[in-house]
Amino acid sequence: MLEIERKFLVNSDQFKSLAFTKNQIAQGYLNSHPERTVRIRIKGESGFLTIKGKGNESGVSRFEWETEIPLIEAKHLIQLCEKGVIDKIRYEVQSGNHVFEVDEFFGENEGLVIAEIELKSEDESFEKPDWLGNEVTNDERYYNAFLSHHPYKRWK
């Protein structure tokens, strides 16, 4: 139940031609408190309930528990979420022995593209594709829960 993940900005759309999956995602937060978030996600025709704890000092590791829920229940629960439901397309891109999940945001977060990679340990090495930009792992502005309340378009 430990998520080890690093986040990066994306500096080109080259990843799109390399993607092996692409899914529309809507996600909202029943609770977006930094100590614990409770998220509802609709990904394609599936629903998910996810609880995440606060990240460690490096921001790379944190508790995560997720379970699939019926789509109809996810649709009802997303109506109860805090203001600022996230709309994005997730692309999955193979790079060496790892898969990057690349999120292209829309709506109030349009213009933002973030790549995430899950690792087995904080110091695990991985190939960095050319389209990968600056690391933002420990920058809370790039957490989806933050983006739901402080959209990217308002940063400027």
Side-chain angles (χ1 to χ4, degrees):
M1 287 197 214
L2 185 66
E3 173 187 57
I4 302 172
E5 176 180 84
R6 292 176 63 182
K7 291 179 180 251
F8 299 85
L9 296 177
V10 174
N11 58 28
S12 82
D13 65 356
Q14 179 187 9
F15 69 91
K16 290 182 181 181
S17 64
L18 303 170
F20 63 88
T21 64
K22 174 182 171 182
N23 285 292
Q24 186 75 36
I25 293 176
Q27 70 183 43
Y29 291 86
L30 294 169
N31 180 358
S32 60
H33 189 282
E35 297 289 322
R36 73 204 68 70
T37 60
V38 181
R39 175 182 78 199
I40 302 298
R41 175 180 279 171
I42 297 171
K43 180 179 178 184
E45 294 300 311
S46 301
F48 300 90
L49 170 65
T50 307
I51 300 171
K52 291 188 177 196
K54 183 176 175 146
N56 66 357
E57 194 170 305
S58 69
V60 176
S61 299
R62 64 180 168 168
F63 171 86
E64 179 183 70
W65 176 86
E66 182 172 80
T67 191
E68 190 167 352
I69 60 175
L71 179 61
I72 190 69
E73 291 179 13
K75 286 180 177 179
H76 288 300
L77 288 170
I78 211 159
Q79 299 301 313
L80 298 175
C81 287
E82 300 170 352
K83 184 180 176 199
V85 172
I86 300 284
D87 178 24
K88 61 187 179 180
I89 292 179
R90 171 162 290 167
Y91 300 84
E92 292 184 76
V93 182
Q94 187 77 38
S95 178
N97 295 325
H98 295 89
V99 172
F100 281 91
E101 295 177 334
V102 183
D103 291 341
E104 178 181 19
F105 291 83
F106 298 96
E108 288 294 302
N109 290 297
E110 189 167 353
L112 180 61
V113 183
I114 297 176
E116 301 176 349
I117 184 171
E118 289 201 19
L119 303 169
K120 294 182 179 123
S121 69
E122 288 196 23
D123 59 354
E124 181 180 356
S125 62
F126 57 94
E127 290 182 31
K128 293 182 179 176
D130 293 338
W131 46 264
L132 206 62
N134 293 333
E135 185 165 5
V136 294
T137 298
N138 204 18
D139 189 337
E140 292 182 355
R141 294 178 303 159
Y142 295 99
Y143 293 4
N144 285 282
F146 183 90
L147 291 167
S148 69
H149 295 291
H150 307 281
Y152 182 68
K153 279 188 170 182
R154 295 188 201 156
W155 292 12
K156 300 169 182 175

